[in-house]
Amino acid sequence: MERDLREKETIEIEFTEELLAEWTKKYMKKHPKIKKKPIQFSSHPSLNTWIILRRPMMNVLKQKWADFTEFVVDYYGLRDLGISKCKCKYMVFKDSKRRSDVDNYSPKFIFDGFSAEHSGLIIDDSSDCIEELTIKIEYRKGQRGGKFIFYNCEYDKELLETTKQKEIAKTEKREATMKENKSKRKSSKKIKGVH
């Protein structure tokens, strides 16, 4: 089997303010009624920021980050790479020397965007695929963002395709259920309105 030129033992991806600005331009063009930037900074929001959000707002933020992550993966030409096993180092770049708790910087939304359901860089974000995650916070004057280094990488294109199909089926089922539930609620309201 021929190996993909992108399949290396180490893969590096950086989230920068420049990439965020480029993605934001595209996002705003697609959603012209939106006036506020969809994502504020190119570094993943801290746990303290997103855990206080209501579930619908958290899901909206999660989807925006998945979209931005797909954009970044495409920028590096790494879509559907299919990393099946690796170790990962995540470096958070901060422009402030203020103390930060490292455990607040789990890159959950970005990993969702890396998964088979979105960009296919990795099969999924389970411990079967990401065997180890190291988080480091680094001060960089005037710079925000983050950098991922995937190392000891193994690849499995077949597993990527299988996982992608399962995720698509799951999403379709979830959407059908939501549509059905919405229809039932409408019917229920009509019946209640009649009596």
Side-chain angles (χ1 to χ4, degrees):
M1 182 161 57
E2 198 174 299
R3 220 180 136 149
D4 189 326
L5 290 174
R6 301 171 302 165
E7 293 180 8
K8 299 175 183 168
E9 194 174 302
T10 302
I11 301 287
E12 294 188 17
I13 296 177
E14 195 162 341
F15 285 73
T16 64
E17 289 295 307
E18 292 79 19
L19 284 174
L20 178 61
E22 203 175 314
W23 173 79
T24 301
K25 242 188 269 179
K26 286 178 75 173
Y27 186 90
M28 298 297 250
K29 198 173 185 180
K30 196 174 174 183
H31 306 279
K33 291 183 180 181
I34 293 172
K35 302 294 177 221
K36 189 178 170 193
K37 280 174 66 175
I39 293 175
Q40 297 306 307
F41 305 108
S42 58
S43 50
H44 191 287
S46 84
L47 187 62
N48 291 339
T49 304
W50 58 267
I51 204 162
I52 59 171
L53 297 174
R54 290 194 173 140
R55 192 73 175 166
M57 292 306 295
M58 190 186 292
N59 287 338
V60 167
L61 183 61
K62 182 178 172 181
Q63 186 55 54
K64 288 174 184 173
W65 268 96
D67 291 347
F68 176 46
T69 301
E70 284 189 63
F71 175 82
V72 172
V73 169
D74 287 341
Y75 172 82
Y76 283 96
L78 298 171
R79 180 172 286 277
D80 293 331
L81 191 57
I83 297 173
S84 59
K85 198 170 281 216
C86 68
K87 294 181 179 181
C88 181
K89 181 176 185 179
Y90 173 49
M91 295 187 302
V92 181
F93 304 142
K94 292 183 58 195
D95 61 356
S96 159
K97 288 187 177 180
R98 201 174 75 210
R99 278 180 51 176
S100 299
D101 296 340
V102 77
D103 59 341
N104 280 334
Y105 286 91
S106 171
K108 175 156 183 46
F109 298 159
I110 295 175
F111 272 126
D112 288 343
F114 283 154
S115 70
E117 186 179 4
H118 295 281
S119 69
L121 175 72
I122 59 176
I123 304 294
D124 60 37
D125 55 0
S126 73
S127 58
D128 292 340
C129 183
I130 310 289
E131 295 183 314
E132 183 180 296
L133 172 63
T134 307
I135 300 172
K136 180 181 181 189
I137 298 173
E138 196 174 291
Y139 168 71
R140 290 196 177 180
K141 188 175 180 180
Q143 186 181 346
R144 285 180 176 248
K147 183 177 186 176
F148 287 83
I149 302 170
F150 296 93
Y151 57 101
N152 295 353
C153 297
E154 294 177 19
Y155 302 87
D156 190 332
K157 293 280 185 172
E158 284 180 33
L159 182 57
L160 175 67
E161 283 308 310
T162 305
T163 305
K164 197 181 277 194
Q165 294 309 316
K166 283 180 187 174
E167 291 301 324
I168 289 168
K170 233 195 288 185
T171 301
E172 287 172 353
K173 187 177 180 183
R174 189 181 324 117
E175 286 171 358
T177 302
M178 285 169 59
K179 193 174 181 180
E180 190 179 313
N181 290 343
K182 190 175 182 180
S183 176
K184 283 179 185 176
R185 281 194 299 273
K186 275 185 180 178
S187 297
S188 174
K189 283 180 183 178
K190 283 181 184 176
I191 291 168
K192 285 178 183 176
V194 172
H195 294 338

